[in-house]
Amino acid sequence: MAFKIIRNDITKVHADAIVNTANPLPIVGSGTDTAVYEAAGREELLECRKKIGVIERGQSAWTPSFNLEKNGIKYIIHTVGKSYRGGNHGEENVLHSCYVTALKIASELNCKSVAIPLLATGHYCFPKDLALQIAVDEISRFLIEHEVDVFLVVYDSESYKISEKLFDDVEDFLSDNLKSTEEKDDNQIVPIDLDAFIRTSNDTLNFQNTLMLHIAERKLENATVYKKAYIDKKFFSKIISNKDYVPKKHTVMALGLALELPLSEYEEFLASAGYAFMPSSRFDMIIKFCVMNHIYNLINVDVLLYDHGEECFSPS
């Protein structure tokens, strides 16, 4: 199970199924719909689409992939959205349903992977941040229950920031908080009592105990935590069963986000594994911004990392 953002033409993505933004009538629409028909074989796909008939808004249906099978694509899932007209005409409910019904079909077809664009942000003119939040909500719910890789396909990352408002907010935060590696810390080193330091360190919980304590305090299931952190069951078992094992910093950060720790507890959680936020690291400062603003869903976090050219949490 994984979520990953990729830049590509959706007809060239290697996935079991792709999601197409379709016209409710069995005709070839504009944008992505046209691209999918041309890549799959216009006549064959249209003939198959006619057999399905009208697809109601918010609903989805599937066809074979025809010529796209050479790319490893087995199915095309056609979903029908609704134009955004201020938000008072049921548009959001329709878009939620598009994701729910499309992903449900992918699961019923036993797909191991599905590629989906950010729906309704083109011809249907949905505000991008609202469309993104709906996508994140429904994809997150789906991934908690299903072992399927979901790819959010972005066509042009240079001109297309996935989250416009948050991108600007993060930029402001980085400009105020990101320190150059050439800046020097003016804090003086204070002599410490070495014996006292060793005694205090021995009393401190190790990373495994700290992790399990947070899980217990929040009455969470282990599976909920490792799935939210993009970690598989076997790796999570290794983390909690080996007291001498310290995961990489990105893994610790992902677990802290999955636990939804407030900033002070998040920093203590990092410290229990021997890590800390580095003021010279853009990645670290973006994660700090997310924690401070209670952005814990790793899909949202990955969107911000992707928009800023940083490595995402999702597996490569």
Side-chain angles (χ1 to χ4, degrees), residues 163-173 289 304 308:
S163 182
E164 292 168 332
K165 181 182 183 303
L166 279 176
F167 178 85
D168 292 336
D169 291 345
V170 174
E171 282 294 295
D172 291 341
F173 180 81
F289 171 88
L304 293 178
H308 287 81

Side-chain angles (χ1 to χ4, degrees), residues 6 8-19 65 68-76 106 111-116 148-153:
I6 57 176
N8 207 339
D9 176 341
I10 198 165
T11 65
K12 297 177 181 177
V13 173
H14 293 284
D16 289 342
I18 62 171
V19 176
S65 63
L68 287 173
E69 191 169 0
K70 64 187 179 185
N71 293 345
I73 299 169
K74 301 175 184 176
Y75 310 104
I76 302 170
C111 295
K112 298 301 182 185
S113 57
V114 56
I116 188 166
V148 179
D149 292 334
V150 178
F151 305 125
L152 179 64
V153 182

Side-chain angles (χ1 to χ4, degrees), residues 192-202:
I192 63 170
D193 182 335
L194 183 57
D195 290 335
F197 175 78
I198 293 173
R199 286 196 302 272
T200 302
S201 299
N202 287 336

